[in-house]
Amino acid sequence: MSIESTLRKEGIEVIKQLDTFQVNSIAQKITNKLCSAFPEQNLSRTDLFASISRLPMFLAKMSDPLCGAKYFYKNSSIYYNIDYSLSNVEDFALHECIHFLQEVKDYKGNLIRLGLYDFANNHGLAINEAAVQYMTMEALEKPIYDVKYYQLNLSTNSPECYPLECSIIRQMAYFTGTYPLYYSTLNGNDIFKNTFITITNEKVYNQIEKNLDSMLDLEEKLHMYVEMLKLDDENASHIRKINDLINYTKEKISNLFLASQNTIISNCFSKQLETIRNLDEISQFKNSLYEFQHYIATNDSYSYYNDFYRNMMESLEKKSIWIKEHGAFDFEKVLTSDITIYTKAKGAFALMKRILTRLGLLKQKEF
């Protein structure tokens, strides 16, 4: 299939290619935004501008009126919706330029990875889209908005594009910090993933990744159902069925979001609790747990965070009493003690094995 045919299938009809001056102007705006927003990533202005300015860019008609721009990896080009003004191009081009920058290809030129998205094995699409959009909103210096989707009240810096997914990414970055998130998003590696796994475990990361992919699939279905509803204004029975599908899909999305959120809360804070050594760290933990309420989504029936908070406070109180009575935990000392005990036990076991063997009560291949 030709590029033109593939583009038409994607709902993109090319109108004209942007000239060098227009491309350079866009590249300069994007470069300035990214370098100013993420100085810790040590992005080279010269290299960044050179890369973006070499991208073929086109004006096009888009079948999706909400789509301002789209990066097409098959020919490494960006297409801008002709219905949008190029004067504010960075508002909708940043996301697509980050997609271009995060490409990882094999020696044959085949795309194998896109930031957090394992393209070759097709998993992590949603978490990567969320990370790219979260970075885009940070670069545009957008504030945190309080919004409501699918009966969920949540905080997100991207109220119009991937709001729920960006909220989950924000929760994960609360524990990892933004540096590994942005680094992996730009460079296509597992630094962010491994950092989060260190805080929780691999099963937790994989489950959140899977949940977000499922949410994205359901959101696409929801969009399709809404469009179907617009076209059907006569058949009452059919309209009722579509509405039922819409409500059912919204509920599934909401449940997946809350399941992901609860998994983050439970695993991240429980792991942190295990590492607390002294009263200062207890105080810091309390503040961290309390502040996390500003990152979560809630609805009328949601109680998980409050229940978890109370249980944590009880555990912290017990740990505080123990520290006041016995002093701060010394994990290095405890570890050394455990190793000593293990070594002694292993030595005693070996001695017992030799004695039993010599007495003929144990065959050499046993144990």
PDB file of all heavy atoms in Angstrom, residues 162-183:
ATOM      1  N   TYR A 162      -6.271  12.579  26.800  1.00  0.00           N
ATOM      2  CA  TYR A 162      -5.807  11.545  27.728  1.00  0.00           C
ATOM      3  C   TYR A 162      -5.821  12.018  29.191  1.00  0.00           C
ATOM      4  O   TYR A 162      -4.842  11.857  29.916  1.00  0.00           O
ATOM      5  CB  TYR A 162      -4.393  11.094  27.374  1.00  0.00           C
ATOM      6  CG  TYR A 162      -4.202  10.618  25.968  1.00  0.00           C
ATOM      7  CD1 TYR A 162      -3.216  11.171  25.147  1.00  0.00           C
ATOM      8  CD2 TYR A 162      -4.996   9.607  25.434  1.00  0.00           C
ATOM      9  CE1 TYR A 162      -3.032  10.732  23.839  1.00  0.00           C
ATOM     10  CE2 TYR A 162      -4.820   9.167  24.123  1.00  0.00           C
ATOM     11  CZ  TYR A 162      -3.837   9.735  23.334  1.00  0.00           C
ATOM     12  OH  TYR A 162      -3.659   9.308  22.039  1.00  0.00           O
ATOM     13  N   PRO A 163      -6.913  12.609  29.669  1.00  0.00           N
ATOM     14  CA  PRO A 163      -6.914  13.135  31.049  1.00  0.00           C
ATOM     15  C   PRO A 163      -6.701  12.069  32.115  1.00  0.00           C
ATOM     16  O   PRO A 163      -5.954  12.288  33.078  1.00  0.00           O
ATOM     17  CB  PRO A 163      -8.307  13.777  31.171  1.00  0.00           C
ATOM     18  CG  PRO A 163      -9.137  13.101  30.120  1.00  0.00           C
ATOM     19  CD  PRO A 163      -8.203  12.810  28.988  1.00  0.00           C
ATOM     20  N   LEU A 164      -7.354  10.900  31.951  1.00  0.00           N
ATOM     21  CA  LEU A 164      -7.212   9.849  32.957  1.00  0.00           C
ATOM     22  C   LEU A 164      -5.818   9.231  32.917  1.00  0.00           C
ATOM     23  O   LEU A 164      -5.200   8.992  33.958  1.00  0.00           O
ATOM     24  CB  LEU A 164      -8.268   8.757  32.757  1.00  0.00           C
ATOM     25  CG  LEU A 164      -9.637   9.004  33.397  1.00  0.00           C
ATOM     26  CD1 LEU A 164     -10.368  10.145  32.700  1.00  0.00           C
ATOM     27  CD2 LEU A 164     -10.498   7.754  33.357  1.00  0.00           C
ATOM     28  N   GLU A 165      -5.327   8.977  31.717  1.00  0.00           N
ATOM     29  CA  GLU A 165      -3.997   8.376  31.574  1.00  0.00           C
ATOM     30  C   GLU A 165      -2.916   9.305  32.119  1.00  0.00           C
ATOM     31  O   GLU A 165      -1.969   8.854  32.770  1.00  0.00           O
ATOM     32  CB  GLU A 165      -3.736   8.042  30.103  1.00  0.00           C
ATOM     33  CG  GLU A 165      -4.593   6.911  29.541  1.00  0.00           C
ATOM     34  CD  GLU A 165      -5.974   7.357  29.078  1.00  0.00           C
ATOM     35  OE1 GLU A 165      -6.309   8.550  29.265  1.00  0.00           O
ATOM     36  OE2 GLU A 165      -6.707   6.527  28.533  1.00  0.00           O
ATOM     37  N   CYS A 166      -3.061  10.603  31.857  1.00  0.00           N
ATOM     38  CA  CYS A 166      -2.082  11.574  32.373  1.00  0.00           C
ATOM     39  C   CYS A 166      -2.136  11.652  33.898  1.00  0.00           C
ATOM     40  O   CYS A 166      -1.117  11.867  34.557  1.00  0.00           O
ATOM     41  CB  CYS A 166      -2.331  12.956  31.773  1.00  0.00           C
ATOM     42  SG  CYS A 166      -1.795  13.127  30.055  1.00  0.00           S
ATOM     43  N   SER A 167      -3.327  11.465  34.450  1.00  0.00           N
ATOM     44  CA  SER A 167      -3.470  11.467  35.906  1.00  0.00           C
ATOM     45  C   SER A 167      -2.730  10.288  36.529  1.00  0.00           C
ATOM     46  O   SER A 167      -2.069  10.418  37.569  1.00  0.00           O
ATOM     47  CB  SER A 167      -4.955  11.415  36.285  1.00  0.00           C
ATOM     48  OG  SER A 167      -5.127  11.440  37.685  1.00  0.00           O
ATOM     49  N   ILE A 168      -2.810   9.110  35.894  1.00  0.00           N
ATOM     50  CA  ILE A 168      -2.095   7.931  36.389  1.00  0.00           C
ATOM     51  C   ILE A 168      -0.583   8.130  36.273  1.00  0.00           C
ATOM     52  O   ILE A 168       0.174   7.796  37.203  1.00  0.00           O
ATOM     53  CB  ILE A 168      -2.533   6.663  35.627  1.00  0.00           C
ATOM     54  CG1 ILE A 168      -3.975   6.284  35.993  1.00  0.00           C
ATOM     55  CG2 ILE A 168      -1.591   5.493  35.924  1.00  0.00           C
ATOM     56  CD1 ILE A 168      -4.169   5.853  37.440  1.00  0.00           C
ATOM     57  N   ILE A 169      -0.127   8.689  35.162  1.00  0.00           N
ATOM     58  CA  ILE A 169       1.304   8.963  34.994  1.00  0.00           C
ATOM     59  C   ILE A 169       1.785   9.930  36.069  1.00  0.00           C
ATOM     60  O   ILE A 169       2.873   9.780  36.631  1.00  0.00           O
ATOM     61  CB  ILE A 169       1.572   9.549  33.581  1.00  0.00           C
ATOM     62  CG1 ILE A 169       1.706   8.421  32.564  1.00  0.00           C
ATOM     63  CG2 ILE A 169       2.836  10.401  33.564  1.00  0.00           C
ATOM     64  CD1 ILE A 169       2.976   7.602  32.679  1.00  0.00           C
ATOM     65  N   ARG A 170       0.972  10.916  36.367  1.00  0.00           N
ATOM     66  CA  ARG A 170       1.323  11.898  37.423  1.00  0.00           C
ATOM     67  C   ARG A 170       1.444  11.200  38.778  1.00  0.00           C
ATOM     68  O   ARG A 170       2.331  11.522  39.580  1.00  0.00           O
ATOM     69  CB  ARG A 170       0.250  12.985  37.461  1.00  0.00           C
ATOM     70  CG  ARG A 170       0.498  14.110  38.474  1.00  0.00           C
ATOM     71  CD  ARG A 170      -0.490  15.238  38.253  1.00  0.00           C
ATOM     72  NE  ARG A 170      -0.340  16.263  39.269  1.00  0.00           N
ATOM     73  CZ  ARG A 170      -1.245  16.538  40.211  1.00  0.00           C
ATOM     74  NH1 ARG A 170      -2.383  15.856  40.246  1.00  0.00           N
ATOM     75  NH2 ARG A 170      -1.030  17.476  41.110  1.00  0.00           N
ATOM     76  N   GLN A 171       0.567  10.244  39.041  1.00  0.00           N
ATOM     77  CA  GLN A 171       0.646   9.488  40.293  1.00  0.00           C
ATOM     78  C   GLN A 171       1.924   8.660  40.351  1.00  0.00           C
ATOM     79  O   GLN A 171       2.598   8.613  41.398  1.00  0.00           O
ATOM     80  CB  GLN A 171      -0.571   8.577  40.427  1.00  0.00           C
ATOM     81  CG  GLN A 171      -1.884   9.301  40.665  1.00  0.00           C
ATOM     82  CD  GLN A 171      -3.053   8.351  40.827  1.00  0.00           C
ATOM     83  OE1 GLN A 171      -2.878   7.167  41.097  1.00  0.00           O
ATOM     84  NE2 GLN A 171      -4.259   8.862  40.662  1.00  0.00           N
ATOM     85  N   MET A 172       2.282   8.013  39.249  1.00  0.00           N
ATOM     86  CA  MET A 172       3.494   7.190  39.217  1.00  0.00           C
ATOM     87  C   MET A 172       4.738   8.057  39.401  1.00  0.00           C
ATOM     88  O   MET A 172       5.670   7.700  40.131  1.00  0.00           O
ATOM     89  CB  MET A 172       3.572   6.420  37.903  1.00  0.00           C
ATOM     90  CG  MET A 172       2.453   5.409  37.714  1.00  0.00           C
ATOM     91  SD  MET A 172       2.421   4.648  36.070  1.00  0.00           S
ATOM     92  CE  MET A 172       3.770   3.450  36.233  1.00  0.00           C
ATOM     93  N   ALA A 173       4.742   9.222  38.745  1.00  0.00           N
ATOM     94  CA  ALA A 173       5.890  10.133  38.841  1.00  0.00           C
ATOM     95  C   ALA A 173       6.013  10.749  40.232  1.00  0.00           C
ATOM     96  O   ALA A 173       7.090  11.237  40.602  1.00  0.00           O
ATOM     97  CB  ALA A 173       5.774  11.235  37.789  1.00  0.00           C
ATOM     98  N   TYR A 174       4.933  10.718  41.009  1.00  0.00           N
ATOM     99  CA  TYR A 174       4.981  11.188  42.394  1.00  0.00           C
ATOM    100  C   TYR A 174       6.024  10.395  43.187  1.00  0.00           C
ATOM    101  O   TYR A 174       6.672  10.919  44.093  1.00  0.00           O
ATOM    102  CB  TYR A 174       3.599  11.019  43.032  1.00  0.00           C
ATOM    103  CG  TYR A 174       3.452  11.564  44.440  1.00  0.00           C
ATOM    104  CD1 TYR A 174       3.236  12.913  44.648  1.00  0.00           C
ATOM    105  CD2 TYR A 174       3.500  10.723  45.549  1.00  0.00           C
ATOM    106  CE1 TYR A 174       3.077  13.427  45.934  1.00  0.00           C
ATOM    107  CE2 TYR A 174       3.338  11.207  46.833  1.00  0.00           C
ATOM    108  CZ  TYR A 174       3.132  12.567  47.020  1.00  0.00           C
ATOM    109  OH  TYR A 174       2.977  13.069  48.290  1.00  0.00           O
ATOM    110  N   PHE A 175       6.202   9.139  42.821  1.00  0.00           N
ATOM    111  CA  PHE A 175       7.129   8.257  43.532  1.00  0.00           C
ATOM    112  C   PHE A 175       8.489   8.126  42.820  1.00  0.00           C
ATOM    113  O   PHE A 175       9.512   8.000  43.486  1.00  0.00           O
ATOM    114  CB  PHE A 175       6.504   6.871  43.701  1.00  0.00           C
ATOM    115  CG  PHE A 175       5.253   6.884  44.518  1.00  0.00           C
ATOM    116  CD1 PHE A 175       4.011   6.949  43.912  1.00  0.00           C
ATOM    117  CD2 PHE A 175       5.306   6.873  45.904  1.00  0.00           C
ATOM    118  CE1 PHE A 175       2.845   6.989  44.660  1.00  0.00           C
ATOM    119  CE2 PHE A 175       4.152   6.909  46.674  1.00  0.00           C
ATOM    120  CZ  PHE A 175       2.916   6.973  46.048  1.00  0.00           C
ATOM    121  N   THR A 176       8.482   8.160  41.503  1.00  0.00           N
ATOM    122  CA  THR A 176       9.744   7.998  40.766  1.00  0.00           C
ATOM    123  C   THR A 176      10.479   9.318  40.560  1.00  0.00           C
ATOM    124  O   THR A 176      11.683   9.333  40.333  1.00  0.00           O
ATOM    125  CB  THR A 176       9.487   7.390  39.370  1.00  0.00           C
ATOM    126  OG1 THR A 176       8.702   8.310  38.590  1.00  0.00           O
ATOM    127  CG2 THR A 176       8.760   6.062  39.470  1.00  0.00           C
ATOM    128  N   GLY A 177       9.726  10.425  40.632  1.00  0.00           N
ATOM    129  CA  GLY A 177      10.269  11.695  40.186  1.00  0.00           C
ATOM    130  C   GLY A 177      10.068  11.806  38.677  1.00  0.00           C
ATOM    131  O   GLY A 177       9.855  10.795  37.992  1.00  0.00           O
ATOM    132  N   THR A 178      10.132  13.010  38.144  1.00  0.00           N
ATOM    133  CA  THR A 178       9.879  13.192  36.715  1.00  0.00           C
ATOM    134  C   THR A 178      11.095  12.913  35.851  1.00  0.00           C
ATOM    135  O   THR A 178      10.946  12.632  34.657  1.00  0.00           O
ATOM    136  CB  THR A 178       9.387  14.618  36.423  1.00  0.00           C
ATOM    137  OG1 THR A 178      10.343  15.575  36.923  1.00  0.00           O
ATOM    138  CG2 THR A 178       8.027  14.870  37.064  1.00  0.00           C
ATOM    139  N   TYR A 179      12.300  12.973  36.420  1.00  0.00           N
ATOM    140  CA  TYR A 179      13.487  12.792  35.580  1.00  0.00           C
ATOM    141  C   TYR A 179      13.490  11.448  34.844  1.00  0.00           C
ATOM    142  O   TYR A 179      13.649  11.422  33.616  1.00  0.00           O
ATOM    143  CB  TYR A 179      14.779  12.941  36.395  1.00  0.00           C
ATOM    144  CG  TYR A 179      16.013  12.714  35.550  1.00  0.00           C
ATOM    145  CD1 TYR A 179      16.532  13.735  34.763  1.00  0.00           C
ATOM    146  CD2 TYR A 179      16.632  11.466  35.503  1.00  0.00           C
ATOM    147  CE1 TYR A 179      17.649  13.522  33.950  1.00  0.00           C
ATOM    148  CE2 TYR A 179      17.741  11.242  34.693  1.00  0.00           C
ATOM    149  CZ  TYR A 179      18.247  12.280  33.928  1.00  0.00           C
ATOM    150  OH  TYR A 179      19.330  12.057  33.121  1.00  0.00           O
ATOM    151  N   PRO A 180      13.334  10.298  35.519  1.00  0.00           N
ATOM    152  CA  PRO A 180      13.342   9.024  34.789  1.00  0.00           C
ATOM    153  C   PRO A 180      12.175   8.906  33.811  1.00  0.00           C
ATOM    154  O   PRO A 180      12.313   8.282  32.752  1.00  0.00           O
ATOM    155  CB  PRO A 180      13.263   7.964  35.889  1.00  0.00           C
ATOM    156  CG  PRO A 180      12.762   8.664  37.086  1.00  0.00           C
ATOM    157  CD  PRO A 180      13.234  10.077  36.974  1.00  0.00           C
ATOM    158  N   LEU A 181      11.026   9.507  34.141  1.00  0.00           N
ATOM    159  CA  LEU A 181       9.877   9.467  33.240  1.00  0.00           C
ATOM    160  C   LEU A 181      10.202  10.195  31.940  1.00  0.00           C
ATOM    161  O   LEU A 181      10.010   9.654  30.845  1.00  0.00           O
ATOM    162  CB  LEU A 181       8.658  10.107  33.907  1.00  0.00           C
ATOM    163  CG  LEU A 181       7.432  10.300  33.006  1.00  0.00           C
ATOM    164  CD1 LEU A 181       6.897   8.960  32.530  1.00  0.00           C
ATOM    165  CD2 LEU A 181       6.349  11.092  33.727  1.00  0.00           C
ATOM    166  N   TYR A 182      10.705  11.409  32.051  1.00  0.00           N
ATOM    167  CA  TYR A 182      11.014  12.202  30.860  1.00  0.00           C
ATOM    168  C   TYR A 182      12.176  11.589  30.080  1.00  0.00           C
ATOM    169  O   TYR A 182      12.166  11.580  28.849  1.00  0.00           O
ATOM    170  CB  TYR A 182      11.362  13.633  31.248  1.00  0.00           C
ATOM    171  CG  TYR A 182      10.249  14.397  31.929  1.00  0.00           C
ATOM    172  CD1 TYR A 182      10.512  15.515  32.719  1.00  0.00           C
ATOM    173  CD2 TYR A 182       8.912  13.995  31.797  1.00  0.00           C
ATOM    174  CE1 TYR A 182       9.488  16.216  33.344  1.00  0.00           C
ATOM    175  CE2 TYR A 182       7.892  14.688  32.433  1.00  0.00           C
ATOM    176  CZ  TYR A 182       8.192  15.804  33.202  1.00  0.00           C
ATOM    177  OH  TYR A 182       7.184  16.496  33.822  1.00  0.00           O
ATOM    178  N   TYR A 183      13.160  11.062  30.789  1.00  0.00           N
ATOM    179  CA  TYR A 183      14.338  10.490  30.128  1.00  0.00           C
ATOM    180  C   TYR A 183      13.938   9.279  29.283  1.00  0.00           C
ATOM    181  O   TYR A 183      14.360   9.158  28.123  1.00  0.00           O
ATOM    182  CB  TYR A 183      15.379  10.095  31.176  1.00  0.00           C
ATOM    183  CG  TYR A 183      16.701   9.669  30.569  1.00  0.00           C
ATOM    184  CD1 TYR A 183      17.650  10.619  30.204  1.00  0.00           C
ATOM    185  CD2 TYR A 183      16.992   8.329  30.357  1.00  0.00           C
ATOM    186  CE1 TYR A 183      18.862  10.243  29.629  1.00  0.00           C
ATOM    187  CE2 TYR A 183      18.196   7.941  29.790  1.00  0.00           C
ATOM    188  CZ  TYR A 183      19.127   8.895  29.432  1.00  0.00           C
ATOM    189  OH  TYR A 183      20.319   8.513  28.858  1.00  0.00           O
TER     190      TYR A 183
END
